[in-house]
Amino acid sequence: MTSNSDEFSLTKPKFDLSTYSGRLQHFLRMTNPLACLNSTADIRAAEEAINQYRDNGTMSGSTDDMWRFQNVVNQAVHPATNSIVPTPFRMSGIPVFNIPIIYLQLITPSANVFGTLAMHVVNQSYNMACNYFNRSGVGVPIQAMGTAYALAVTSACSIAYGMGKLVEKVPKLRRFSIWIPIVATAMASSSNLALTRLDEIRSGSELVDSDGNNYGKSVIAGKRGVFQTAATRCLMIPCAVLLLPDMMMKALKKRALMPKSMPMATLVQCGIIFVCMAGALPATLAVFPQTIEYNVAMLEPQFQHLTHKTTGKPILKLYSQKGL
């Protein structure tokens, strides 16, 4: 289902997505902050070039140009609605627009209950907007989105408030105060994701063969896809973008390398956050394949004795999409 060829194709990715290095190269391009500079005109021009190739096979430039056009479209255009995703909520915008949120989370003392709660509201609001603009389908029920948002904000604020009060009562725990936003963010994001994708957990994800033939939904595949997404987005990313900058800032202060002027110190801190975010996002998204492969023996009984719809041969493997 992947290709190592550099020959341009609308159906096969440029990199081998069955390997970590291939997925990392793919997501490094998808999350490249420079893509935020692409204007609406640039995006629509790239889209027109892709459509021209799809309709009559004519390339608007070299193979490298076509891969670049495809990447511009993938970075900015929603595949189901064909609408351009607003810049702050694209994967390429996340490393940039998360900087002030992460910075304020890091500098807000755990004892500042109001400030901590306010930052979790802002963070979960941004996460919900990202979920909405990068949804898998055309429409999302407003009630489901509202419930997921309310649950995420409530859980994040409750965890942060409870842990903040615990740190107040037990001063020795202040050395672990950085874990308060990490735990609160991870648990809130997990509940947000689980509720947003509840249908996949209950009803399952679609399974297809290597030719794209659909064989129905598997609850096992649905749960695995949501779990892997939660592991990367809700656990690995918060740890990387909150814990690593904090450790690096403390190391600079310990060695007296942090600038003494407030503006320069803030600039250095924001730079550290950006580097950690820009590196952690593609590295964690690439941990699991976007397409999950299953031996049919791992799935429900109805998938274990299927034959190919065209060849009639026994099907040994099926595939599902994990989502982001």
Side-chain angles (χ1 to χ4, degrees), residues 8 13 27-28 38 77 90 110 123 148 162 223 243 311 313:
F8 179 72
F27 283 115
L28 281 170
N38 291 330
V77 179
R90 299 174 197 166
S110 56
N123 185 44
K223 290 180 178 179
L243 187 59
T311 65
K313 294 181 179 180

Side-chain angles (χ1 to χ4, degrees), residues 110 163 167 171-181 250:
S110 56
M163 294 181 71
V167 169
K172 290 184 179 180
L173 294 177
R174 288 180 181 173
R175 59 186 298 185
F176 303 108
S177 59
I178 183 57
W179 286 98
I180 293 178
K250 287 181 178 178

Side-chain angles (χ1 to χ4, degrees), residues 85-135:
V85 176
T87 304
F89 311 117
R90 299 174 197 166
M91 291 181 65
S92 57
I94 290 176
V96 178
F97 290 91
N98 253 304
I99 291 175
I101 299 175
I102 297 172
Y103 173 74
L104 291 173
Q105 281 186 303
L106 290 174
I107 67 170
T108 302
S110 56
N112 184 348
V113 176
F114 176 79
T116 300
L117 298 185
M119 287 314 306
H120 281 294
V121 171
V122 171
N123 185 44
Q124 290 306 318
S125 298
Y126 180 76
N127 288 343
M128 179 56 67
C130 287
N131 288 341
Y132 173 77
F133 284 108
N134 294 282
R135 61 197 184 278

Side-chain angles (χ1 to χ4, degrees), residues 258-275:
M258 183 66 75
K260 297 189 181 300
S261 70
M262 188 64 177
M264 287 302 298
T266 300
L267 187 62
V268 169
Q269 290 169 334
C270 289
I272 291 173
I273 292 170
F274 172 76
V275 170

Side-chain angles (χ1 to χ4, degrees), residues 191-237:
S191 63
N192 187 335
L193 178 69
L195 191 57
T196 302
R197 297 175 61 173
L198 188 60
D199 183 64
E200 293 176 51
I201 298 173
R202 288 178 174 174
S203 304
S205 295
E206 301 284 353
L207 289 174
V208 299
D209 60 23
S210 56
D211 294 323
N213 296 311
N214 193 310
Y215 292 88
K217 290 185 176 182
S218 164
V219 173
I220 292 174
K223 290 180 178 179
R224 185 172 179 181
V226 173
F227 172 78
Q228 289 187 358
T229 303
T232 52
R233 279 182 48 195
C234 307
L235 181 59
M236 297 180 189
I237 291 179

